[in-house]
Amino acid sequence: MEAEGRSTSPRMIGPFPMTSNFLKVDPRWRKKLTPEHRVILKACREDFATFLNYWHVRDENGQDRVLGESLWEAQLGFIDTLKEHPYTYHLKARRLGASTLICAYDAWVARFGPVGARVHIFSRVEADSRELLYGRDGASNIVYGLKHLPEWMQLPMRVRANDIVLEAGQDDHRVIVAYASDGDVSAGTFCTLAHIDELARMEAAERLWQAV
């Protein structure tokens, strides 16, 4: 089971507060930003499904594809659920694309969510949460997708041991952090979105949920 939860606000994109910084891009491409690019950026800010048309994934065989071009009916239904509900619990089997979709959602919140957005990813062990962030055995996840966004959609990114930072401005640092499932690991730390992977298998699930 995976679970996600997020804060709410009167001014929303889907379930998230609107950000005025959605037109921020890497300074190298700022002067090349066309009116069409601006329209697409606004559309991506307002709709997660639109963002998926620019989100690349790579499978374990090294094949790259655009996630939005190959969504299943169940994935489309899950996208609608994410838009409508502040807390989502997803009972899933393996290899159905749920984790891939949720990781794209993590990236969307970091890129287009509120100023200073923080996304926390929790798994039973740190290696599993890092896999969601960085990928493993040739398969991709969040870092790969962010690096393969169109250049005019990217933000400057710093990749560190357990997190990545997107620089949207001097006072707008967006962070995605990988955690292990220690029950008190993020207590006292605000997050815009919490992605809890395999919650049902965690020994300290209740403590972790309270800490989040």
Side-chain angles (χ1 to χ4, degrees):
M1 181 175 73
E2 299 205 32
E4 296 207 337
R6 58 270 192 182
S7 61
T8 57
S9 168
R11 302 180 65 236
M12 313 291 276
I13 43 168
F16 292 100
M18 296 173 65
T19 174
S20 59
N21 282 354
F22 71 96
L23 290 177
K24 293 284 188 178
V25 296
D26 191 307
R28 293 174 296 174
W29 310 108
R30 190 171 298 149
K31 293 182 179 180
K32 301 179 182 179
L33 203 64
T34 67
E36 181 182 3
H37 293 156
R38 293 171 183 268
V39 170
I40 294 172
L41 286 168
K42 185 175 185 294
C44 286
R45 178 192 69 163
E46 295 175 348
D47 183 53
F48 172 52
T50 299
F51 173 72
L52 294 178
N53 293 324
Y54 303 90
W55 184 256
H56 286 248
V57 296
R58 185 179 63 197
D59 62 27
E60 294 177 354
N61 298 317
Q63 298 297 312
D64 180 275
R65 60 185 173 88
V66 176
L67 186 56
E69 296 176 355
S70 55
L71 293 171
W72 304 340
E73 183 177 351
Q75 290 176 311
L76 292 171
F78 187 47
I79 290 170
D80 291 337
T81 299
L82 289 172
K83 291 179 181 179
E84 295 172 5
H85 300 283
Y87 295 93
T88 304
Y89 302 86
H90 184 47
L91 299 174
K92 69 181 185 69
R94 292 188 178 276
R95 300 191 178 280
L96 293 180
S99 292
T100 298
L101 184 62
I102 294 171
C103 285
Y105 192 71
D106 296 340
W108 177 69
V109 173
R111 174 60 182 87
F112 289 103
V115 171
R118 289 185 62 91
V119 177
H120 293 180
I121 302 175
F122 302 89
S123 290
R124 288 188 306 125
V125 295
E126 187 175 312
D128 289 344
S129 58
R130 285 170 53 83
E131 180 181 342
L132 293 171
L133 193 56
Y134 304 114
R136 186 175 66 181
D137 297 334
S140 68
N141 257 307
I142 294 172
V143 170
Y144 180 89
L146 288 169
K147 287 184 175 180
H148 286 77
L149 290 173
E151 293 172 333
W152 47 267
M153 192 179 288
Q154 294 183 27
L155 292 173
M157 178 170 61
R158 289 184 285 132
V159 180
R160 304 188 295 195
N162 292 303
D163 63 25
I164 59 176
V165 182
L166 303 178
E167 303 287 359
Q170 183 175 357
D171 298 315
D172 189 0
H173 310 291
R174 297 152 181 265
V175 184
I176 307 177
V177 189
Y179 289 109
S181 62
D182 183 333
D184 299 320
V185 68
S186 71
T189 304
F190 167 81
C191 69
T192 312
L193 173 70
H195 171 184
I196 306 176
D197 182 55
E198 298 186 339
L199 175 65
R201 298 178 62 191
M202 293 180 179
E203 294 182 3
E206 291 189 11
R207 286 178 56 205
L208 173 63
W209 189 251
Q210 291 172 358
V212 170

